[in-house]
């Protein structure tokens, strides 16, 4: 019975690590795709999508680090283990979401006041739609993976946006 429980825990940790790596890779690819869409369709003076995606990639990288750290066993320095890092990871992600929202609002107000010229809209829309489909598929995978047992640091988000 104990071996079965330990095996399920190891499988859940492996699945969580795979989900984190996939989320980080997709986050980087989507950052490049969204910046490309922005550069193709408007002046690259400021880009709210780039900043919010950058915050997201940073949040996922920290979540991946915290997932790895939470798998460590208790030791003399932390006699109750490292699992509470997941709470800090969720708070860090929340703070980055607030920063991204402020950056988006700031840029939107600037563009509203100074105007924005849009060019090659079709290409930009195609890139954003493709990124949205990838984001939806990743969100579905993360939600499905996060329902199982294991560290909670893989559960704060169900997607990359």
């Amino acid at each position: 019975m104990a071996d079965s429980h330990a095996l399920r825990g190891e499988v859940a940790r492996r699945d969580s690590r795979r989900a984190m790596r996939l989320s980080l890779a997709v986050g980087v690819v989507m950052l490049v795709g969204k910046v490309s869409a922005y550069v193709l369709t408007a002046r690259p003076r400021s880009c709210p999508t780039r900043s919010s995606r950058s915050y997201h990639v940073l949040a996922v990288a920290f979540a991946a680090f915290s997932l790895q750290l939470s798998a460590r066993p208790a030791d003399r320095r932390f006699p109750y283990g490292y699992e509470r890092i997941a709470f800090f990871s969720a708070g860090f992600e929340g703070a980055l979401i607030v920063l991204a929202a402020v950056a988006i609002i700031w840029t939107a107000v600037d563009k509203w006041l100074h105007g924005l010229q849009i060019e090659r809209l079709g290409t930009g829309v195609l890139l954003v739609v493709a990124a949205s489909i990838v984001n939806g598929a990743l969100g579905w995978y993360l939600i499905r993976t996060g329902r199982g047992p294991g560290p909670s640091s893989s559960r704060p988000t169900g997607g990359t946006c």
Side-chain angles (χ1 to χ4, degrees):
M1 182 76 159
D3 290 338
S4 172
H5 182 67
L7 182 61
R8 278 196 313 254
E10 182 56 37
V11 168
R13 280 191 292 279
R14 186 191 69 223
D15 289 346
S16 293
R17 285 191 301 266
R18 183 183 309 135
M20 284 294 176
R21 284 192 302 267
L22 180 63
S23 183
L24 185 58
V26 168
V28 170
V29 168
M30 289 184 61
L31 173 63
V32 170
K34 286 187 174 188
V35 168
S36 299
Y38 187 82
V39 168
L40 286 172
T41 60
R43 298 183 311 255
R45 182 170 52 115
S46 58
C47 179
T49 301
R50 180 182 64 219
S51 63
S52 66
R53 296 303 313 166
S54 300
Y55 292 139
H56 171 73
V57 170
L58 183 61
V60 172
F62 187 76
F65 166 75
S66 70
L67 180 66
Q68 182 179 8
L69 187 62
S70 70
R72 286 186 179 178
D75 58 18
R76 190 172 48 179
R77 186 170 171 203
F78 294 101
Y80 298 106
Y82 292 83
E83 293 168 350
R84 292 191 179 210
I85 187 80
F87 297 113
F88 186 73
S89 174
F92 182 72
E93 183 178 358
L96 287 177
I97 288 170
V98 169
L99 283 174
V102 168
I104 289 170
I105 291 169
W106 181 275
T107 305
V109 168
D110 179 57
K111 288 179 183 179
W112 180 58
L113 294 174
H114 298 105
L116 174 69
Q117 301 211 344
I118 298 175
E119 302 169 3
R120 292 184 235 145
L121 190 58
T123 304
V125 168
L126 285 175
L127 285 171
V128 170
V129 167
S132 297
I133 290 170
V134 170
N135 192 32
L138 177 64
W140 175 81
Y141 172 75
L142 291 176
I143 289 171
R144 192 175 58 112
T145 301
R147 285 188 183 148
S152 62
S153 59
S154 63
R155 294 183 195 146
T157 62
T160 61
C161 272

